């Protein structure tokens, strides 16, 4: 089950506001040095720098995300396809230490959860479920410390990928409804479209088709160029079911490269 | 998909007009004749009587198997069908020649195998003493039984004398002549390690991991000494393993004349062993197929794309809560394989069990029947229970006490069987519903044979805790075919391991004789080729198990032909 990629993508898309509001590190020399090293695939240089940056500023989602991506890229470079379990174990261990050192950092717990998600693709099918479940535990801790939009969206979206038999769809809908309420109280941002998509998917997976269509339609009025929303609204019945089943297929892989957030190649 | 180069010629794509017409109508080509044939005895799962019985009940719904051989040499394939419940009788169904069967197990002396110390898991026909009469191995959780075919409708228990009756929790067996000494050797795969599961002294006998378990029963290799006895040569051959073996499959992957071995393991990594040709094997798993962590259930070999190399089909578990996907290992010809299951639509078959390649429509392409389904019981699902367990931190999976009882819950139950029609080696299209072979019983094994000798391959499906299904192939006549019954003289007499290359219509195709490949099912050892509308065979080349080749010509179609090693005019 590729919870990793889905949650990762969620992170990519939803971390944007935090990144926007924490631009200070963009000018950070060390961060730039790490980015340059990453650009040349010099992971041995980049990773220690990013680790120090996370340690120094645990509330920086950008540093933490970039650190995880560095680990991921390094692992995949050494072990094509899915990376190596041991690499991700180091990543988990790193965030475990950070969580111990910064027990009140919502951001650290969020990325601690992502660290488990990062490992999923490299693991077997049962371990994937265990990892996804552990990731949810960390996301919950993050939310308990600070109920952020990104935290709610990440956890809510993650719940949607669990098969119905686990009964977690309603939990996902609940989180996404809270994220929806949050964004309604804020000025519109481009990434808010994601909640319209996912919340509708959650309603659909709860067999509440009317509410799904309603939220997708509302999303289109806010984001008329959203192809995912148009795709959903243009389908009905089995066609729509096949489409969303495909989107929420636990086996589906999604490109989750976080560099795109920073507008880098 | 370009690597699936179609090398078979035009004749394979030219199905007879009659066939095409029938295909267009969507007519049903299989008839369920189970009851009519008198072959409908119900299988019963073993219910254990120990402190872990409620837990074990969910994990031992096994033992339904079917093995085909013409044990009495009357020209009609018979079938041995197992039961597993305490006191349950096995069935030796003698083929009456008119698509009815008579259970002669009691009079033959092979009915009794399920007692308080043994539960039947599988069976295998193999001529261990090379006398031309198929002998019978009954595979058990407990002590295996070897019955010598006395040739008068009676069998004699020679298990102890043969030296194969040590305690094992065996679940599968195949036989082939790995060292080419002319005698069939025995390969036994075991699920649990050799502890007494009827009265375990420890609760720690369950798999220690869902993906890398190494506390299973592994493989045992018995070398046939040629005097009615066997010697355990597991270490000598390099096949000492500790995985949770579910199936074994042999064939010559690299056409070097020596049969290689695929080991399918539950809860861990399948293994691929290359036969070194000197009585030993080398584990080349990493380079051949890579390291997986899936639930290997079945191994069958067949050249599905007619490129002259034998490919492998392995079933795993694919459900919404566990999406492993099957393996269709395309043989690259250099002792490496590529999984093409997704591209060919053979990836998803639910909780897979026995699967078998065969050409049901005689069009020259190997089709595939796949059984599936674990436990079909009540409407409640066992999935949440099992995942509640696996997500508990630090849980010891090996301890049976930690596993939740299944009770009357279902797990991957009521799954529809698949009959994949081979679309010219490129794609498999499920035709099970059309042909009425999409039963939702908990299938375990499938055995293929032409029970009525009409040139159309029939199917016998063994189901756990249920009646079997005998599907008679009633496809409209028209497509040509040919069958070969091979007899070794220098090679093992039943010619297990022989390869047959048939040339007709400008192309050549490959079949081989397996010694029991496929989980819980042993198919006829006749070699069957569907020929479509080609009515003339140019030649066949037989590569006997000892490596020697013979070419035969002047072979008529639409007949069963007997071929004896050394009888050709030219070699």
């Amino acid at each position: 089950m590729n919870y990793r990629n889905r949650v990762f993508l969620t992170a990519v898309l939803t971390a944007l506001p935090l990144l926007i509001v924490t631009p200070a590190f963009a000018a950070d020399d060390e961060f730039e040095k790490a980015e340059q090293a990453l650009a040349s695939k010099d992971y041995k240089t980049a990773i220690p720098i990013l680790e120090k940056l996370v340690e120094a500023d645990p509330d920086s989602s950008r540093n933490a995300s970039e650190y995880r991506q560095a680990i991921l890229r390094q692992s995949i470079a050494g072990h094509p396809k899915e990376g190596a379990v041991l690499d991700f174990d180091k990543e988990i261990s790193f965030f475990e230490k950070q969580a111990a050192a910064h027990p009140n950092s919502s951001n650290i717990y969020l990325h601690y959860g992502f660290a488990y998600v990062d490992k999923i693709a490299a693991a077997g099918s049962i371990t994937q479920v265990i990892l996804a479940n552990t990731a949810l535990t960390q996301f919950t801790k993050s939310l308990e410390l600070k109920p952020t939009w990104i935290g709610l969206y990440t956890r809510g979206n993650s719940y949607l990928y669990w098969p119905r038999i686990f009964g977690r769809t309603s939990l996902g809908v609940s989180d996404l409804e809270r994220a929806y309420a949050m964004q309604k109280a804020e000025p519109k941002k481009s990434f808010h479209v994601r909640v319209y998509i996912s919340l509708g998917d959650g309603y659909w997976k709860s067999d509440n088709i009317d509410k799904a269509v309603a939220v997708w339609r509302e999303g289109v009025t806010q984001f008329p160029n959203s192809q995912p929303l148009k795709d959903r609204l243009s389908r009905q019945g089995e066609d729509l079911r096949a489409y969303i089943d495909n989107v929420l297929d636990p086996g589906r892989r999604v490109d989750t490269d976080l560099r795109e957030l920073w507008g880098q190649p | 998909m370009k690597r699936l180069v179609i090398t078979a010629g035009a004749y394979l794509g030219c199905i007879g007009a009659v066939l095409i017409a029938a295909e267009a109508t969507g007519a049903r080509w299989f008839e369920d004749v189970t009851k009519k044939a008198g072959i409908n005895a119900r299988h019963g799962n073993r219910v254990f009587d120990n402190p872990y019985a409620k837990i074990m009940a969910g994990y031992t719904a096994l033992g339904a198997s079917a093995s085909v051989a013409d044990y009495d040499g009357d020209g009609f394939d018979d079938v041995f069908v197992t039961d597993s419940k305490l006191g349950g009788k096995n069935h030796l169904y003698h083929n009456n020649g008119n698509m009815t069967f008579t259970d002669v197990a009691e009079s033959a002396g092979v009915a009794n195998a399920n007692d308080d110390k043994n539960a039947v898991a599988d069976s295998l026909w193999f001529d261990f003493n090379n006398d031309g009469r198929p002998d019978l191995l009954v595979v058990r959780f407990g002590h295996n039984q070897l019955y010598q075919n006395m040739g008068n409708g009676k069998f004699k228990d020679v298990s102890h004398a043969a030296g194969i009756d040590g305690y094992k929790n065996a679940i599968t067996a195949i036989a082939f002549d790995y060292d080419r000494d002319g005698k069939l050797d025995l390969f036994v795969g075991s699920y649990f390690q050799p502890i007494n599961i009827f009265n375990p002294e420890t609760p720690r006998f369950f798999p220690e991991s869902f993906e890398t378990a190494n506390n299973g029963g592994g493989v045992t290799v018995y070398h046939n000494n040629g005097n009615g006895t066997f010697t355990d040569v597991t270490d000598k051959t390099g096949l000492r393993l500790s995985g949770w073996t579910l199936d074994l499959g042999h064939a010559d992957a690299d056409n070097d004349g020596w049969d290689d071995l695929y080991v399918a393991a539950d809860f861990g990594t399948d293994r691929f062993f290359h036969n070194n040709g000197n009585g030993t094997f080398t584990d080349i798993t990493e380079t051949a197929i890579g390291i997986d962590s899936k639930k290997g259930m079945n191994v069958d070999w067949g050249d599905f794309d007619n490129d002259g190399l034998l490919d492998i089909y392995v079933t795993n578990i694919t459900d919404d809560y566990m999406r492993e996907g099957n393996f269709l290992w395309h043989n690259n010809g250099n002792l490496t394989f590529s999984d093409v299951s997704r591209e060919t639509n053979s990836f998803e078959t639910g909780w897979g069990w026995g699967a078998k390649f065969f050409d049901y429509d005689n069009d020259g392409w190997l089709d595939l029947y796949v059984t599936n389904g674990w436990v079909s019981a009540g409407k409640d699902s066992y999935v949440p229970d099992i995942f509640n367990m696996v997500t508990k931190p630090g849980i010891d999976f090996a301890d049976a006490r930690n596993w939740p009882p299944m009770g009357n819950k279902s797990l991957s139950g009521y799954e529809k069987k698949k009959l994949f029609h081979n679309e010219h080696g490129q794609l498999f299209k499920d035709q099970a519903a059309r042909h009425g072979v999409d039963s939702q019983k908990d299938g375990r094994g499938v055995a293929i044979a032409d029970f009525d000798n009409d040139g159309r391959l029939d199917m016998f499906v063994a189901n756990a805790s249920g009646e079997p299904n005998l599907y008679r192939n009633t496809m409209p006549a028209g497509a040509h075919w040919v069958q070969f019954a091979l007899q070794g003289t220098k090679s093992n007499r039943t010619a297990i391991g022989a390869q047959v290359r048939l040339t007709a219509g400008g192309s050549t195709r490959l079949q081989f004789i397996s010694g029991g490949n496929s989980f819980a099912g042993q198919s006829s050892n006749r070699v069957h080729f569907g020929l479509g509308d080609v009515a003339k065979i140019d030649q066949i080349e037989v590569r006997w198990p000892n490596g020697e080749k013979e070419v035969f010509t002047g072979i008529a179609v639409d007949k069963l032909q007997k071929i004896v090693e050394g009888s050709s005019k030219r070699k």
Side-chain angles (χ1 to χ4, degrees):
Chain A
M1 297 181 199
N2 290 312
Y3 299 95
R4 173 185 69 90
N5 291 329
R6 287 186 297 280
V7 179
F8 239 145
L9 182 62
T10 301
V12 170
L13 296 164
T14 57
L16 193 55
L18 293 185
L19 298 169
I20 291 168
V21 298
T22 57
F25 273 88
D28 185 278
D29 289 346
E30 288 298 294
F31 184 81
E32 286 303 320
K33 196 188 295 179
E35 289 294 277
Q36 287 171 14
L38 283 177
S40 58
K41 298 181 181 176
D42 180 5
Y43 305 110
K44 285 183 179 174
T45 299
I47 289 171
I49 295 173
L50 289 164
E51 282 181 348
K52 285 180 180 172
L53 289 170
V54 173
E55 288 166 352
D57 187 0
D59 293 326
S60 166
S61 187
R62 183 187 62 179
N63 291 346
S65 293
E66 200 63 353
Y67 164 70
R68 288 187 300 95
Q69 283 302 294
I71 295 283
L72 180 63
R73 286 187 215 131
Q74 180 191 43
S75 188
I76 289 175
H79 304 84
K81 285 175 78 174
E82 296 169 348
V85 167
L86 287 178
D87 292 335
F88 301 114
D89 285 342
K90 288 178 191 168
E91 181 187 336
I92 289 169
S93 178
F94 173 75
F95 279 105
E96 185 181 17
K97 286 176 187 166
Q98 297 312 304
H102 308 285
N104 296 317
S105 173
S106 171
N107 182 62
I108 286 295
Y109 277 105
L110 184 68
H111 289 275
Y112 191 10
F114 283 147
Y116 282 101
V117 175
D118 289 345
K119 184 180 171 183
I120 287 174
S125 56
I126 294 286
T127 301
Q128 287 179 345
V129 177
I130 296 169
L131 292 168
N133 198 58
T134 310
L136 282 170
T137 301
Q138 308 309 332
F139 294 148
T140 297
K141 285 181 184 171
S142 172
L143 284 168
E144 285 170 354
L145 289 166
K146 189 177 180 182
T148 60
W149 184 94
I150 185 174
L152 287 167
Y153 177 62
T154 300
R155 191 178 67 173
N157 203 35
S158 298
Y159 279 134
L160 300 189
Y161 289 88
W162 288 76
R164 286 182 176 85
I165 192 85
F166 291 98
R168 287 178 159 172
T169 304
S170 60
L171 300 173
V173 168
S174 175
D175 280 350
L176 291 164
E177 284 176 338
R178 288 173 67 193
Y180 171 83
M182 275 189 182
Q183 71 184 36
K184 290 287 277 185
E186 297 174 356
K188 187 171 82 175
K189 299 187 176 76
S190 61
F191 45 82
H192 285 165
V193 68
R194 295 290 162 175
V195 164
Y196 288 106
I197 295 168
S198 294
L199 182 55
D201 290 356
Y203 288 141
W204 176 87
K205 198 164 181 177
S206 306
D207 296 324
N208 197 335
I209 309 299
D210 291 344
K211 284 185 83 170
V213 170
V215 80
W216 289 331
R217 280 185 179 151
E218 182 186 341
V220 161
T221 62
Q222 297 291 317
F223 302 95
N225 295 322
S226 170
Q227 194 58 46
L229 286 170
K230 290 180 187 173
D231 287 343
R232 284 160 173 77
L233 288 167
S234 66
R235 289 171 164 80
Q236 289 182 327
E238 281 305 307
D239 189 23
L240 178 60
R241 175 176 297 280
Y243 177 86
I244 298 185
D245 278 348
N246 183 48
V247 169
L248 299 179
D249 181 351
R252 188 164 171 266
R253 294 183 180 278
V254 180
D255 181 5
T256 59
D257 188 345
L258 285 174
R259 287 193 196 184
E260 198 176 336
L261 280 175
W262 288 273
Q264 295 182 13
Chain B
M1 285 304 297
K2 285 187 175 177
R3 65 186 153 197
L4 303 180
V5 176
I6 301 170
T7 54
Y11 89 89
L12 295 174
C14 299
I15 307 170
V18 173
L19 263 181
I20 292 169
E23 180 78 42
T25 64
R28 180 170 287 192
W29 288 354
F30 284 95
E31 177 189 3
D32 189 336
V33 296
T34 314
K35 285 188 173 63
K36 194 160 63 178
I39 199 165
N40 58 326
R42 182 184 176 89
H43 171 268
N45 293 334
R46 174 56 61 96
V47 177
F48 290 87
D49 181 17
N50 63 40
Y52 318 108
K54 286 185 179 175
I55 295 161
M56 292 175 70
Y59 303 94
T60 52
L62 297 161
S65 76
S67 298
V68 167
D70 180 9
Y71 77 92
D72 59 349
D74 66 356
F76 288 93
D77 273 333
D78 312 294
V79 58
F80 184 76
V81 182
T82 56
D83 199 350
S84 306
K85 63 179 175 287
L86 181 62
K89 305 283 188 183
N90 294 324
H91 311 279
L92 175 53
Y93 289 112
H94 175 258
N95 188 336
N96 300 323
N98 58 358
M99 211 56 177
T100 70
F101 295 79
T102 303
D103 186 356
V104 298
E106 289 280 10
S107 61
V110 295
N112 298 312
N114 290 298
D115 54 34
D116 59 358
K117 294 182 176 61
N118 299 278
V120 177
D122 194 14
S123 54
L124 176 75
W125 293 101
F126 79 113
D127 184 7
F128 80 91
N129 57 0
N130 225 21
D131 65 355
R133 295 190 290 263
D135 307 298
L136 179 64
L137 180 79
V138 179
V139 177
R140 302 196 294 184
F141 283 7
H143 303 271
N144 293 330
Q145 296 171 307
L146 180 60
Y147 289 105
Q148 182 179 342
N149 186 338
M150 306 308 290
N152 57 356
K154 307 289 185 187
F155 288 77
K156 178 183 175 185
D157 187 342
V158 295
S159 315
H160 187 66
I164 56 89
D165 62 341
Y167 191 98
K168 298 193 181 305
N169 292 307
I171 198 162
T172 189
I174 58 173
F176 66 100
D177 183 9
Y178 76 92
D179 57 353
R180 296 195 346 190
D181 65 356
K183 299 178 288 290
L184 288 175
D185 308 297
L186 181 62
F187 293 67
V188 175
S190 296
Y191 196 60
F192 293 92
Q193 53 192 297
I195 62 153
N196 180 355
I197 63 164
F198 300 91
N199 187 21
E201 293 179 351
T202 169
R204 297 194 77 258
F205 62 97
F206 265 43
E208 63 194 356
S209 161
F210 276 86
E211 291 150 4
T212 56
N214 272 310
N215 61 337
V219 175
T220 307
V221 184
Y222 295 103
H223 179 258
N224 189 333
N225 300 324
N227 59 359
T229 68
F230 291 81
T231 301
D232 184 338
V233 292
T234 310
D235 288 321
K236 187 177 172 184
T237 53
L239 291 168
R240 178 66 64 190
L241 294 168
S242 55
W244 289 70
T245 307
L246 270 178
D247 202 19
L248 304 168
H250 74 96
D252 183 1
D254 52 349
N255 288 333
D256 65 352
W258 299 87
D259 274 11
D260 309 300
L261 180 69
Y262 191 106
V263 181
D266 204 354
F267 304 110
T269 304
D270 292 352
R271 293 282 164 189
F272 189 90
F273 292 91
H274 180 241
N275 189 332
N276 300 319
N278 61 0
T280 69
F281 291 80
T282 299
D283 185 345
I284 59 167
T285 305
E286 283 203 51
T287 56
I289 56 173
I291 303 295
D292 80 281
S293 59
K294 300 184 180 180
K295 316 289 176 289
M297 304 288 199
N298 174 82
V299 185
D300 196 35
W301 292 71
D303 182 10
F304 81 93
D305 57 347
N306 287 331
D307 67 354
L309 295 164
L310 293 166
D311 312 294
I312 307 170
Y313 191 64
V314 177
T315 53
N316 295 302
I317 299 175
T318 313
D319 207 327
D320 59 356
Y321 61 89
M322 193 189 300
R323 301 196 58 77
E324 293 184 333
N326 300 322
F327 296 129
L328 177 54
W329 292 116
H330 177 254
N331 189 334
N332 300 323
N334 57 355
L335 288 175
T336 71
F337 295 81
S338 301
D339 178 18
V340 297
S341 59
R342 284 183 185 274
E343 299 94 315
T344 56
N345 191 41
S346 55
F347 176 82
E348 183 163 356
T349 59
W351 187 301
W353 287 109
K356 193 71 190 168
F357 287 114
F358 74 118
D359 183 3
Y360 74 83
D361 59 350
N362 283 335
D363 69 350
W365 297 94
L366 286 178
D367 311 301
L368 189 56
Y369 190 74
V370 187
T371 65
N372 56 16
W374 182 217
V375 175
S376 301
K379 62 181 174 60
D380 290 337
S381 172
Y382 183 63
V383 172
D385 302 65
I386 197 76
F387 280 100
N388 280 341
M389 178 191 74
V390 302
T391 52
K392 282 182 185 169
I395 194 161
D396 179 8
F397 294 133
D399 190 332
R401 295 169 301 184
N402 289 329
W403 292 61
M406 188 178 282
N408 191 43
K409 293 177 179 176
S410 293
L411 181 60
S412 290
Y414 304 103
E415 295 187 333
K416 292 189 173 184
K417 312 297 160 277
K418 306 287 185 184
L419 176 63
F420 287 122
H421 182 254
N422 186 335
E423 308 278 323
H424 294 190
Q426 302 277 321
L427 190 70
F428 286 99
K429 186 177 175 185
D430 185 15
Q431 296 285 307
R434 173 192 154 183
H435 294 303
V437 294
D438 59 342
S439 152
Q440 294 183 39
K441 295 176 186 172
D442 293 332
R444 292 295 178 266
V446 55
I448 305 296
D450 182 5
F451 287 113
D452 50 1
N453 289 341
D454 66 354
R456 295 170 292 193
L457 293 174
D458 312 300
M459 293 193 292
F460 186 92
V461 181
N463 300 305
S465 193
E467 287 187 7
N469 293 99
L470 174 58
Y471 296 112
R472 183 181 196 178
N473 190 328
T474 58
M475 179 184 69
H480 296 293
W481 55 277
V482 66
Q483 292 177 359
F484 301 107
L486 270 58
Q487 181 180 317
T489 52
K490 289 183 283 187
S491 302
N492 73 83
R493 188 148 167 175
T494 38
I496 302 297
Q499 291 190 342
V500 180
R501 287 177 170 78
L502 179 146
T503 301
S507 66
T508 299
R509 290 170 39 223
L510 167 65
Q511 297 267 15
F512 81 109
I513 301 179
S514 93
N517 288 353
S518 179
F519 181 80
Q522 180 181 17
S523 297
S524 173
N525 67 354
R526 294 182 193 168
V527 177
H528 178 104
F529 286 95
L531 299 171
D533 63 356
V534 172
K536 182 178 182 301
I537 296 169
D538 298 326
Q539 68 167 49
I540 66 161
E541 178 195 272
V542 178
R543 195 196 73 189
W544 294 95
N546 67 2
E548 293 184 8
K549 295 178 180 176
E550 282 187 274
V551 172
F552 298 84
T553 55
I555 295 164
V557 301
D558 300 336
K559 285 185 177 175
L560 167 63
Q561 316 266 358
K562 184 174 181 181
I563 294 180
V564 179
E565 183 177 11
S567 66
S568 65
K569 293 177 182 173
R570 60 189 177 89
K571 294 182 183 176

